[in-house]
Amino acid sequence: MRRLLRTLLLVPLLGFAAPALAQVPMGEASTVKEGLEIGTSTSEIAIASDFRGADLTIFGALTNADELFLAIGQYDVVVTLEGPRDYATVRRKERVFGIWMNTESMTFEQVPESYSLASTRQIDSIDEAPSLNNIGVGIAHMPLNPVGYISDSGSIREFRDAYRRLKLANGLYQRDTSGVQFVSSSLFRASLKLPANIPDGIHMVRAYLFKGGQLIAQRELPLRVVKTGIEQAITDAAHERPFAYGFLCVLIAVVTGWGASLLFRKD
Amino acid sequence: MTVYLPIAELSVNIFIILGMGAAVGFLSGMFGVGGGFLITPLLIFYNIPPVVAVATGANQVVASSISGAITHFRRGTLDMKLGCVLLVGGLAGATAGVWVFSWLRRVGQLDLFISILYVVLLSTIGALMLQESLRALRRARNKEQLPLKRPGQHNWVHRLPLKMRFKKSKIYLSAIPVVALGFGIGVLTSIMGVGGGFIMVPAMIYLLRIPTSVVVGTSLFQIIFVTAYTTMVQAATNYSVDIVLATILMVAGVIGAQYGVRVGQKLRGEQLRALLALLVLAVGIRLAIGLIVTPEEIYSVAVGGLSY
């Protein structure tokens, strides 16, 4: 699986490397703005039911990169894969009359169900927190806006922290602060981790180019994750034809129960 | 060997599920119970989401009750009219139950509610059964005679209006308590994933004074249709019936039940009931501990209204 994805994505990107090398000479102030290119050979990934997680490799190239800045490592690249967005409700348990029960809850607006990040180094050393918050890149910096008005900012922080912690714990949110590596002076490779429980739907690959701590270029590509196999077919059936599915469940029960009584009858 | 449960969204060891199904099937065959009240808590202990455990439990009860229902139907030991009146209440109760179930799930209190209901129900039933079987054991030891009970005695239930004649049961009874009993069992089926026979049978005998000869057959008749209906409604509204999990449980369950029946015939009734009572109590206590012990993580996340 891992090798397959890598080869699939590598092929078209080799083309980007060539123009990237014909750059502004070293030291000369560039008048052309740097650009960023990323690409995938496929816009769709099929995941079988025995999927246990994999790495998705994305290649990209800097265009019009300044050789001097490249040499002293002033370019940083962050690549993220964002899953489909949905509302997420975080609940907190409290002891009530000796029993632990959910008491408070907070719903966040349209947060990605999964989020995988790869970067050249710790993103907090790439840029300052306020500007990362602005861009919304990084698990600690993505916007988590509660639905409705909540006056207690302390509890917002607690719920946000809990959300991030739980998402990191179940693997849906991942980060690899050395996941982006330059394979040549301007060609880079990003390894994004796909969790085993990755949701299907339209994901977004986003690449950010920072120069000396400033975001200077950004690219995005949609990537469709499609689950295949019998398990997914069952899930689809349960959601798309619930009555037929329910009827089948009852039918199996009737056949099993009746069948066993016929099979084991002594006479 | 692991198998992925598509609705529960987790991988489980198939042998553990098979063992669980076979063990509960064995017990249900031995004691003549549906087994839903054991399978659902066991699934919850094995980290199956309670939403899925309950809906799948109801499905499993269909399989474990059908052969008994067919046998009683063939022998004619069921009161069809009484069963239909029970069923009217049962279907209404199951509908209301699924509605409550969905609402509790939306507000994030479903897991707690299921656990509390189980703790209350299992500890009450377990304690009553234990008390009764210990008394029977003591009586057997002292070789006392059973006090003769007159089944014809009337109580407040028999003074209610809307009386109907149930020919098969040879009883003239108000429809109100019958429908109400069916309704209550229907609610339990959809919220707890049980058939409810362990409540219905005593209630029919002691409260409604229905002759024991038709009680089991009639209650199985009602259970089959209410659990089948609940499975359909749960599948349609909560998408929470796991067909893979249900199939594994059912296949193991019906085989286990065949052996359970054979063992059950050899053992003495009072000892058997005392054992079942202890088992029921143990499951109830285990669930109660889960409610009280401080959880490792007090936060939980639910995406788009779905809890995991």
Side-chain angles (χ1 to χ4, degrees), chain B residues 216-236:
Chain B
V216 176
T218 311
S219 78
L220 279 174
F221 171 82
Q222 127 105 0
I223 286 170
I224 291 293
F225 286 101
V226 173
T227 50
Y229 172 77
T230 303
T231 306
M232 295 280 292
V233 178
Q234 288 282 25

Side-chain angles (χ1 to χ4, degrees), chain B residues 6-286:
Chain B
I7 305 298
E9 291 182 341
L10 51 92
S11 292
V12 291
N13 187 331
I14 190 167
F15 297 110
I16 290 181
I17 300 291
L18 278 172
M20 228 182 247
V24 172
F26 184 82
L27 291 170
S28 67
M30 196 154 93
F31 298 111
V33 292
F37 68 99
L38 288 175
I39 207 88
T40 310
L42 280 179
L43 290 176
I44 294 172
F45 295 156
Y46 193 50
N47 289 328
I48 307 284
V51 182
V52 178
V54 166
T56 309
N59 193 11
Q60 190 266 344
V61 174
V62 178
S64 68
S65 306
I66 193 113
S67 68
I70 291 168
T71 310
H72 283 280
F73 185 79
R74 243 193 238 126
R75 288 190 199 143
T77 46
L78 72 90
D79 187 330
M80 198 63 104
K81 190 175 173 190
L82 182 65
C84 287
V85 178
L86 271 174
L87 195 54
V88 169
L91 296 183
T95 310
V98 170
W99 187 82
V100 171
F101 186 93
S102 308
W103 176 77
L104 283 169
R105 190 182 182 189
R106 243 188 343 268
V107 297
Q109 301 296 359
L110 181 66
D111 299 4
L112 175 78
F113 195 75
I114 292 171
S115 288
I116 290 179
L117 265 186
Y118 263 105
V119 168
V120 170
L121 205 72
L122 294 179
S123 51
T124 312
I125 302 277
L128 284 174
M129 274 172 56
L130 190 65
Q131 195 188 9
E132 190 271 337
S133 56
L134 287 180
R135 200 183 298 142
L137 277 173
R138 204 177 309 125
R139 231 179 354 241
R141 198 188 305 133
N142 300 341
K143 297 201 174 63
E144 281 172 33
Q145 283 291 309
L146 262 171
L148 280 171
K149 246 186 202 149
R150 295 282 309 137
Q153 280 165 350
H154 280 209
N155 53 18
W156 59 271
V157 167
H158 295 260
R159 287 195 293 273
L160 291 169
L162 280 173
K163 289 214 170 186
M164 291 174 84
R165 194 169 296 282
F166 298 100
K167 278 208 191 85
K168 183 91 198 175
S169 310
K170 299 188 188 75
I171 196 168
Y172 187 56
L173 183 65
S174 162
I176 295 170
V178 181
V179 172
L181 178 63
F183 186 88
I185 300 298
V187 171
L188 291 187
T189 300
S190 50
I191 298 184
M192 302 177 74
V194 297
F198 60 103
I199 295 174
M200 191 153 41
V201 170
M204 282 166 87
I205 295 174
Y206 298 114
L207 216 60
L208 305 183
R209 308 275 188 217
I210 292 161
T212 5
S213 56
V214 297
V215 161
V216 176
T218 311
S219 78
L220 279 174
F221 171 82
Q222 127 105 0
I223 286 170
I224 291 293
F225 286 101
V226 173
T227 50
Y229 172 77
T230 303
T231 306
M232 295 280 292
V233 178
Q234 288 282 25
T237 54
N238 289 307
Y239 313 110
S240 51
V241 183
D242 198 306
I243 199 166
V244 177
L245 178 62
T247 306
I248 300 172
L249 285 176
M250 289 186 293
V251 169
V254 293
I255 296 170
Q258 302 298 327
Y259 292 98
V261 169
R262 278 165 218 183
V263 173
Q265 283 161 349
K266 287 184 195 127
L267 289 175
R268 281 175 54 205
E270 305 88 62
Q271 289 167 345
L272 222 55
R273 279 201 302 265
L275 275 178
L276 179 63
L278 287 176
L279 184 73
V280 166
L281 276 178
V283 174
I285 289 166
R286 170 66 180 76

